Coordinates of all heavy atoms in Angstrom, one line a residue:
A175 N 1.4 2.3 -11.6 CA 0.0 2.7 -11.9 C -0.8 2.7 -10.7 O -0.5 2.1 -9.7 CB -0.5 1.6 -12.9
V176 N -1.9 3.5 -10.8 CA -2.9 3.6 -9.8 C -4.3 3.6 -10.4 O -4.6 4.2 -11.4 CB -2.8 5.0 -9.0 CG1 -3.8 5.2 -8.0 CG2 -1.4 5.2 -8.4
S177 N -5.2 2.8 -9.8 CA -6.5 2.7 -10.2 C -7.4 3.6 -9.3 O -7.3 3.4 -8.0 CB -7.0 1.2 -10.1 OG -8.4 1.2 -10.1
K178 N -8.2 4.4 -9.9 CA -9.0 5.3 -9.0 C -10.4 4.7 -8.7 O -11.1 5.2 -7.9 CB -9.2 6.6 -9.8 CG -7.9 7.4 -9.9 CD -8.1 8.7 -10.6 CE -6.8 9.4 -10.9 NZ -7.0 10.6 -11.7
S179 N -10.7 3.6 -9.4 CA -12.0 2.9 -9.2 C -11.9 2.1 -7.9 O -10.8 1.8 -7.4 CB -12.4 2.1 -10.4 OG -11.5 1.1 -10.6
S180 N -13.0 1.6 -7.4 CA -13.0 0.8 -6.2 C -12.8 -0.7 -6.6 O -13.5 -1.2 -7.5 CB -14.3 1.0 -5.5 OG -14.3 0.3 -4.3
P181 N -11.9 -1.4 -5.9 CA -11.0 -0.9 -4.9 C -9.8 -0.1 -5.5 O -9.3 -0.4 -6.6 CB -10.5 -2.1 -4.2 CG -10.5 -3.2 -5.3 CD -11.7 -2.8 -6.2
A182 N -9.4 1.0 -4.8 CA -8.2 1.7 -5.3 C -7.0 0.8 -5.2 O -6.8 0.1 -4.2 CB -8.0 2.9 -4.4
T183 N -6.2 0.7 -6.3 CA -5.1 -0.2 -6.3 C -3.9 0.5 -6.8 O -4.0 1.3 -7.7 CB -5.5 -1.4 -7.3 OG1 -6.7 -2.0 -6.8 CG2 -4.4 -2.4 -7.3
V184 N -2.7 0.1 -6.3 CA -1.5 0.6 -6.7 C -0.6 -0.6 -7.2 O -0.7 -1.6 -6.6 CB -0.7 1.4 -5.6 CG1 -1.4 2.7 -5.3 CG2 -0.4 0.6 -4.4
W185 N 0.1 -0.4 -8.3 CA 1.0 -1.4 -8.8 C 2.4 -0.8 -8.8 O 2.7 0.4 -9.1 CB 0.7 -1.7 -10.3 CG -0.6 -2.5 -10.5 CD1 -0.7 -3.8 -10.6 CD2 -1.9 -1.9 -10.6 NE1 -2.0 -4.2 -10.8 CE2 -2.8 -3.0 -10.8 CE3 -2.4 -0.6 -10.6 CZ2 -4.1 -2.9 -11.0 CZ3 -3.8 -0.5 -10.8 CH2 -4.6 -1.6 -11.0
F186 N 3.4 -1.7 -8.4 CA 4.8 -1.2 -8.3 C 5.7 -2.4 -8.5 O 5.3 -3.6 -8.2 CB 5.0 -0.5 -7.0 CG 4.6 -1.4 -5.8 CD1 5.5 -2.3 -5.2 CD2 3.3 -1.3 -5.3 CE1 5.1 -3.0 -4.1 CE2 2.9 -2.1 -4.3 CZ 3.8 -3.0 -3.7
P187 N 7.0 -2.2 -8.9 CA 7.9 -3.3 -9.0 C 8.3 -3.7 -7.6 O 8.5 -2.9 -6.7 CB 9.1 -2.7 -9.8 CG 9.0 -1.3 -9.7 CD 7.5 -1.0 -9.4
S188 N 8.4 -5.0 -7.3 CA 8.7 -5.5 -6.0 C 10.0 -6.3 -6.0 O 10.4 -6.8 -7.0 CB 7.5 -6.3 -5.5 OG 7.4 -7.6 -6.2
S189 N 10.5 -6.5 -4.8 CA 11.7 -7.4 -4.6 C 11.3 -8.6 -3.8 O 10.6 -8.5 -2.9 CB 12.8 -6.6 -3.9 OG 13.8 -7.5 -3.4
P190 N 11.8 -9.8 -4.2 CA 11.5 -11.0 -3.4 C 12.2 -10.9 -2.0 O 11.9 -11.7 -1.2 CB 12.0 -12.1 -4.3 CG 13.1 -11.5 -5.1 CD 12.6 -10.1 -5.4
N191 N 13.0 -9.9 -1.8 CA 13.7 -9.8 -0.6 C 13.1 -8.7 0.4 O 13.7 -8.4 1.4 CB 15.2 -9.4 -0.8 CG 15.9 -10.4 -1.8 OD1 15.8 -11.6 -1.6 ND2 16.6 -9.9 -2.8
R192 N 11.9 -8.3 0.0 CA 11.3 -7.2 0.8 C 9.8 -7.5 1.0 O 9.2 -8.3 0.3 CB 11.4 -5.8 0.2 CG 12.8 -5.4 0.0 CD 13.5 -5.1 1.3 NE 14.9 -4.6 1.2 CZ 16.0 -5.3 1.2 NH1 15.9 -6.6 1.3 NH2 17.2 -4.7 1.1
T193 N 9.2 -6.9 2.0 CA 7.7 -6.9 2.2 C 7.2 -5.5 2.0 O 7.9 -4.5 2.1 CB 7.3 -7.5 3.6 OG1 7.8 -6.6 4.6 CG2 7.9 -8.9 3.8
Y194 N 5.9 -5.5 1.7 CA 5.2 -4.2 1.4 C 3.9 -4.1 2.1 O 3.2 -5.0 2.3 CB 5.0 -4.1 -0.1 CG 6.2 -4.3 -0.9 CD1 6.7 -5.5 -1.3 CD2 7.0 -3.1 -1.3 CE1 7.9 -5.6 -2.0 CE2 8.2 -3.3 -2.0 CZ 8.7 -4.5 -2.3 OH 9.8 -4.6 -3.0
T195 N 3.7 -2.9 2.6 CA 2.5 -2.5 3.4 C 1.8 -1.3 2.8 O 2.5 -0.3 2.5 CB 2.8 -2.3 4.9 OG1 3.4 -3.5 5.4 CG2 1.6 -1.9 5.7
L196 N 0.5 -1.4 2.6 CA -0.3 -0.3 2.1 C -0.9 0.5 3.2 O -1.6 -0.1 4.1 CB -1.4 -0.8 1.1 CG -2.2 0.3 0.4 CD1 -1.3 1.1 -0.6 CD2 -3.3 -0.4 -0.4
W197 N -0.7 1.8 3.2 CA -1.3 2.7 4.2 C -2.3 3.6 3.4 O -2.2 3.9 2.3 CB -0.2 3.6 4.8 CG 0.7 2.8 5.7 CD1 1.7 2.0 5.3 CD2 0.8 2.9 7.1 NE1 2.4 1.5 6.3 CE2 1.9 2.1 7.5 CE3 0.1 3.6 8.0 CZ2 2.2 1.9 8.8 CZ3 0.4 3.4 9.4 CH2 1.5 2.6 9.7
R198 N -3.3 4.0 4.2 CA -4.3 5.0 3.6 C -4.7 6.1 4.6 O -4.5 5.9 5.8 CB -5.6 4.3 3.1 CG -6.4 3.8 4.2 CD -7.7 3.2 3.7 NE -8.4 2.4 4.7 CZ -9.0 1.3 4.6 NH1 -8.9 0.7 3.4 NH2 -9.6 0.6 5.5
A199 N -5.1 7.2 4.1 CA -5.6 8.3 4.9 C -6.6 9.1 4.1 O -6.6 9.1 2.9 CB -4.4 9.2 5.3
S200 N -7.5 9.7 4.8 CA -8.5 10.6 4.2 C -8.0 12.0 4.0 O -8.6 12.8 3.3 CB -9.8 10.5 5.0 OG -9.6 11.0 6.3
R201 N -6.9 12.3 4.7 CA -6.3 13.6 4.6 C -4.8 13.5 4.9 O -4.4 12.5 5.5 CB -6.9 14.7 5.6 CG -7.0 14.2 7.0 CD -7.9 15.1 7.8 NE -8.0 14.5 9.2 CZ -7.4 14.9 10.2 NH1 -6.6 16.0 10.1 NH2 -7.5 14.3 11.4
L202 N -4.0 14.4 4.5 CA -2.6 14.3 4.6 C -2.1 14.8 6.0 O -1.4 15.8 6.1 CB -1.9 15.1 3.5 CG -2.0 14.4 2.1 CD1 -1.3 15.3 1.1 CD2 -1.4 13.0 2.1
D203 N -2.6 14.2 7.0 CA -2.2 14.5 8.4 C -1.5 13.3 8.9 O -2.0 12.1 8.8 CB -3.5 14.7 9.2 CG -3.2 15.1 10.6 OD1 -2.3 14.5 11.3 OD2 -3.9 16.0 11.1
P204 N -0.3 13.4 9.5 CA 0.5 12.3 10.0 C -0.3 11.4 10.9 O -0.1 10.1 10.9 CB 1.6 12.9 10.7 CG 1.8 14.3 10.1 CD 0.4 14.7 9.7
S205 N -1.3 11.9 11.7 CA -2.0 11.0 12.6 C -3.2 10.3 11.9 O -3.8 9.4 12.6 CB -2.6 11.9 13.8 OG -3.5 12.8 13.3
D206 N -3.4 10.6 10.7 CA -4.6 10.0 10.0 C -4.2 8.7 9.3 O -5.1 8.0 8.8 CB -5.1 11.0 9.0 CG -6.6 10.7 8.6 OD1 -7.4 10.3 9.4 OD2 -6.9 10.9 7.4
W207 N -3.0 8.4 9.1 CA -2.6 7.2 8.3 C -2.8 5.9 9.1 O -2.5 5.8 10.3 CB -1.1 7.3 7.9 CG -0.8 8.3 6.9 CD1 -0.4 9.6 7.2 CD2 -0.9 8.2 5.5 NE1 -0.2 10.3 6.0 CE2 -0.6 9.4 4.9 CE3 -1.3 7.2 4.7 CZ2 -0.6 9.7 3.6 CZ3 -1.4 7.4 3.3 CH2 -1.0 8.6 2.8
T208 N -3.4 4.9 8.4 CA -3.7 3.6 9.0 C -3.3 2.5 8.0 O -3.4 2.8 6.7 CB -5.2 3.4 9.4 OG1 -6.0 3.6 8.3 CG2 -5.6 4.4 10.5
V209 N -2.9 1.4 8.5 CA -2.6 0.3 7.6 C -3.9 -0.3 7.0 O -4.9 -0.4 7.7 CB -1.9 -0.8 8.4 CG1 -1.7 -2.1 7.5 CG2 -0.5 -0.3 8.8
V210 N -3.9 -0.6 5.7 CA -5.1 -1.2 5.1 C -5.2 -2.7 5.6 O -4.2 -3.4 5.4 CB -5.0 -1.1 3.6 CG1 -6.2 -1.8 2.9 CG2 -5.0 0.3 3.1
P211 N -6.3 -3.1 6.2 CA -6.4 -4.5 6.6 C -6.1 -5.5 5.5 O -6.6 -5.3 4.4 CB -7.8 -4.6 7.1 CG -8.2 -3.1 7.5 CD -7.5 -2.3 6.5
G212 N -5.3 -6.5 5.8 CA -5.0 -7.5 4.8 C -3.9 -7.1 3.8 O -3.6 -7.9 2.9
Q213 N -3.4 -5.9 3.9 CA -2.4 -5.4 3.0 C -1.1 -5.1 3.8 O -0.4 -4.1 3.4 CB -2.9 -4.2 2.2 CG -4.2 -4.5 1.4 CD -3.9 -5.5 0.3 OE1 -3.4 -5.1 -0.7 NE2 -4.3 -6.7 0.5
E214 N -0.8 -5.9 4.8 CA 0.4 -5.6 5.6 C 1.4 -6.7 5.5 O 1.1 -7.9 5.5 CB 0.0 -5.5 7.1 CG 1.1 -5.1 8.0 CD 0.6 -4.9 9.4 OE1 -0.6 -5.2 9.7 OE2 1.4 -4.4 10.2
A215 N 2.7 -6.3 5.3 CA 3.8 -7.2 5.2 C 3.6 -8.3 4.1 O 3.9 -9.5 4.3 CB 4.1 -7.9 6.5
I216 N 3.2 -7.8 2.9 CA 3.0 -8.7 1.8 C 4.3 -8.9 1.1 O 5.0 -8.0 0.7 CB 2.0 -8.0 0.7 CG1 0.7 -7.6 1.4 CG2 1.8 -8.9 -0.5 CD1 -0.1 -8.8 2.0
P217 N 4.7 -10.2 1.0 CA 6.0 -10.5 0.4 C 6.1 -10.1 -1.1 O 5.1 -10.3 -1.9 CB 6.1 -12.0 0.5 CG 5.1 -12.5 1.4 CD 4.0 -11.4 1.4
G218 N 7.2 -9.5 -1.5 CA 7.4 -9.2 -2.9 C 7.6 -10.4 -3.7 O 8.0 -11.5 -3.2
N219 N 7.4 -10.3 -5.0 CA 7.5 -11.5 -5.9 C 8.6 -11.3 -7.0 O 8.7 -12.2 -7.8 CB 6.1 -11.8 -6.5 CG 5.6 -10.6 -7.3 OD1 6.3 -9.7 -7.7 ND2 4.3 -10.7 -7.6
G220 N 9.3 -10.2 -6.9 CA 10.3 -10.0 -8.0 C 9.7 -9.5 -9.3 O 10.4 -9.3 -10.3
D221 N 8.5 -9.2 -9.3 CA 7.7 -8.7 -10.4 C 6.8 -7.6 -10.0 O 6.9 -7.1 -8.8 CB 6.9 -9.8 -11.1 CG 6.6 -9.6 -12.5 OD1 6.9 -8.5 -13.1 OD2 6.0 -10.5 -13.1

């Protein structure tokens, strides 16, 4: 799922054996992508 309201949020199944990082961009240009502060290397919870 994706929430379009602020803050924009994405939901996905995670693995407790992996970490997840959210990236954002204002346009689909490879040089435009940046890591969302505070949303880097978040441990999965198996849910």
